[in-house]
Amino acid sequence: MTAVIDPQAELDTPLLQDNVQLIGGEWVPAASGETIEVINPANRQLLARIPRGTADDVDAAVKAAEQALPAWRDLNATARASLLYRWATLVEENAEVLDQLESRDVGRPHWGPSPVPGMLRFIAGQADKVHGVSLPTYSPDVMGFTVREPFGVVGAIIPWNAPGPMFTNEVAASIAAGNTIVIKPAEDAPLAPLALAKLAMDAGIPAGVVNVVTGYGSEAGAAIPSHPGIRRVGFTGSPATGSIVMEACARNLIPLHLELGGKSPQVVFPDANLSAAAPAIAAGITMNTGQICAAGSRVVVHRSVHQEMVERLAEAMQKVTVGPWHQQVNMGPLINGRQHERVMGYIEAGKSGGADLVLGGGVPSGEAFGDGFFVNPTLFDNVKPDMKIAQEEIFGPVLSVIPVDNEEEAVAVANGVDYGLVASVWTEDVGTAVRMSRALEAGQVGVNNALGAGVIGGPFGGYKSSGFGRTMGADAVQNWTQVKTISMRGATRPGN
Ligand code: NAP
Ligand code: MG
């Protein structure tokens, strides 16, 4: 067990140093010497400074990753897995500090045990199970088979909302396959990724295999997919930025996966267990202050239970306590001023657009909230499917209730957005569950489950504008490999 960080004190942990990023195993400032301030979103106090990395730093990181590549790629896969298992153990040993770093950086109250050690072990288990196949041949003196090989140096760009798991997803899976990586965390929440990278080094993962360049998206971020040394990219973030990253990958002729946003429906049928559905839906939209790509932000509810559902949702959301991360509360602030303005803008759009404000809609006041980017859990009723708040991702604790008259309309409304990340169905009827599971356009469908599957190793990713490619499934590591077909003609037998 590690020490608890005093919430009011300066950040002080051996896992972090001031103003450094990781390039080729060295902890270095930006080439430019410039820095970015990382603040605590609950009070705007300075938490740390990070390097303002740019294309020069990305270039240095790609070169370091190129240098590390041959030995890492050729290390046997079981040895790579062992290093990932050791990394998982160190993450577990430092769980408390990592949790506090991420909480402080994102502004989130403790949300239970970290998924990171389990993710690392799940991925490590795949490292030495990446197989090719044998192929039939035209002639007995030829053998044919495929091997799966890493792409080489790969890149990733991640958002701020769950920086530890996002970092793990991209880094662990790509390096397990034998790639080396350059990753840029979001400038709003880079601390847990830097600490995880330190633990990767401590675990014995060689210098240059994992490189972390911190900085702004338009500078360090943009330099990754456009660097000629990068052979594949993983991006998690907004559709607008995803599209920019994909353009850069297109120019560079490299593949990528995109994990983008969501506007996930919670479809509630008349036979649903409303006493289970309402608190789960309320928890789903307020967890991490609604800043979860998978958050169920639209309740598409049958008119016969509409009124009761709204009452139950209001009751459940009313109970959600708000405050700074170190207090015993359910919900912290939003990540930054821009996000706060954005969420408040959507709340105004809901009001002026004619939706009925049932709960929240404002900012909590009082000393505890100080300068923080807080907003109250907000519930809108009688939202029309074409309203802005029903169509666009708010990324805040704002829930829209849309009443419908039948299953057909429920499907049309649920699918009537650009996104397709997660969808949930609430029903006790297996027939409804089966039909809806097939009809909903989403990468994950949860039946009587608010945040998607809740299974181990479920592939995660989007339909439609929510992106493409899947992470965390049984193919997580294989997805970071390319296929080579080998045909081998043997010498004919002497004398023939
Ligand atoms: P964002 O603005 O798209 O940022 C994501 C990352 O991209 C950040 O590291 C950002 O850097 C970087 N970036 C910005 N401009 C860039 C550019 N021109 N080139 C390369 N990189 C660039 O998204 P966000 O507002 O931080 O995060 C919220 C979004 O992420 C939401 O839409 C949410 O749904 C989505 N998300 C999706 C998933 C999923 O798995 N599907 C998971 C979590 C979040 P800086 O911010 O540091 O400038
Ligand atoms: Mg951002």
Side-chain angles (χ1 to χ4, degrees), residues 363-367 369 376:
V363 173
S365 56
E367 208 174 307
F369 304 109
N376 282 320

Side-chain angles (χ1 to χ4, degrees), residues 106-448:
V106 178
R108 172 204 310 138
H110 177 67
W111 66 351
S114 166
V116 170
M119 292 170 75
L120 284 172
R121 292 190 175 110
F122 180 80
I123 287 166
Q126 293 178 25
D128 55 4
K129 295 166 196 71
V130 174
H131 302 139
V133 295
S134 64
L135 302 166
T137 56
Y138 288 106
S139 154
D141 64 352
V142 174
M143 287 188 62
F145 51 95
T146 63
V147 292
R148 288 196 165 266
E149 297 185 329
F151 284 89
V153 178
V154 299
I157 300 164
I158 55 171
W160 42 262
N161 61 335
M166 296 287 146
F167 180 86
T168 306
N169 236 350
E170 304 288 18
V171 171
S174 60
I175 70 169
N179 301 283
T180 56
I181 188 166
V182 178
I183 183 166
K184 191 204 84 71
E187 106 260 355
D188 282 313
L191 302 183
L194 287 165
L196 285 169
K198 164 84 168 63
L199 292 173
M201 298 289 296
D202 291 353
I205 292 172
V209 172
V210 178
N211 303 276
V212 185
V213 177
T214 55
Y216 293 117
S218 55
E219 298 176 353
I224 290 177
S226 54
H227 194 291
I230 295 284
R231 303 312 318 155
R232 189 189 188 281
V233 167
F235 173 81
T236 304
S238 61
T241 310
S243 173
I244 293 171
V245 169
M246 191 167 162
E247 274 180 43
C249 287
R251 280 193 296 275
N252 214 1
L253 294 175
I254 53 173
L256 80 165
H257 66 246
L258 293 176
E259 301 275 8
L260 308 176
K263 191 72 189 171
S264 301
Q266 299 282 334
V267 186
V268 182
F269 283 90
D271 65 332
N273 178 348
L274 300 187
S275 63
I281 294 172
I285 192 64
T286 51
M287 179 194 272
N288 215 31
T289 323
Q291 303 166 121
I292 295 187
C293 51
S297 50
R298 297 180 295 144
V299 180
V300 179
V301 58
H302 194 275
R303 216 172 281 281
S304 64
V305 290
H306 166 221
Q307 203 47 47
E308 184 182 352
M309 192 61 191
V310 170
E311 280 159 24
R312 285 181 183 270
L313 284 170
E315 190 189 337
M317 288 176 77
Q318 187 99 56
K319 287 188 192 144
V320 173
T321 51
V322 183
W325 67 274
H326 53 88
Q327 292 180 359
Q328 295 288 321
V329 291
N330 306 116
M331 197 177 94
L334 293 162
I335 187 75
N336 58 30
R338 194 166 53 92
Q339 181 68 9
H340 194 258
E341 238 171 74
R342 199 177 114 95
V343 172
M344 294 314 291
Y346 276 110
I347 290 173
E348 284 315 309
K351 290 180 189 167
S352 62
D356 298 337
L357 181 67
V358 178
L359 188 77
V363 173
S365 56
E367 208 174 307
F369 304 109
D371 278 340
F373 304 112
F374 292 95
V375 59
N376 282 320
T378 297
L379 178 64
F380 280 109
D381 190 16
N382 293 316
V383 175
K384 300 275 185 298
D386 59 351
M387 283 181 183
K388 197 172 156 79
I389 57 167
Q391 287 290 324
E392 297 179 18
E393 184 181 47
I394 298 176
F395 228 51
V398 182
L399 188 61
S400 294
V401 178
I402 309 173
V404 293
D405 288 312
N406 53 48
E407 185 174 320
E408 196 186 349
E409 190 185 353
V411 171
V413 169
N415 289 341
V417 293
D418 290 339
Y419 292 103
L421 192 57
V422 173
S424 292
V425 191
W426 296 87
T427 179
E428 298 290 295
D429 178 65
V430 71
T432 309
V434 169
R435 287 193 304 281
M436 292 300 291
S437 299
R438 291 200 188 277
L440 290 167
E441 296 169 349
Q444 292 72 217
V445 173
V447 177
N448 297 326

Side-chain angles (χ1 to χ4, degrees), residues 458-470:
F460 189 83
Y463 276 26
K464 303 197 290 188
S465 299
S466 290
F468 50 82
R470 295 291 179 271

Side-chain angles (χ1 to χ4, degrees), residues 52-75:
R52 180 175 169 177
T54 61
D56 288 341
D57 302 271
V58 168
D59 188 52
V62 171
K63 290 201 168 87
E66 277 168 352
Q67 223 169 2
L69 180 67
W72 181 248
R73 181 192 55 205
D74 294 342
L75 182 65

Side-chain angles (χ1 to χ4, degrees), residues 434-490:
V434 169
R435 287 193 304 281
M436 292 300 291
S437 299
R438 291 200 188 277
L440 290 167
E441 296 169 349
Q444 292 72 217
V445 173
V447 177
N448 297 326
N449 183 341
L451 269 185
V455 296
I456 296 171
F460 189 83
Y463 276 26
K464 303 197 290 188
S465 299
S466 290
F468 50 82
R470 295 291 179 271
T471 56
M472 273 324 288
D475 300 334
V477 174
Q478 180 165 302
N479 289 342
W480 286 97
T481 64
Q482 51 192 345
V483 179
K484 179 182 280 177
T485 301
I486 299 177
S487 67
M488 199 184 289
R489 188 180 294 279

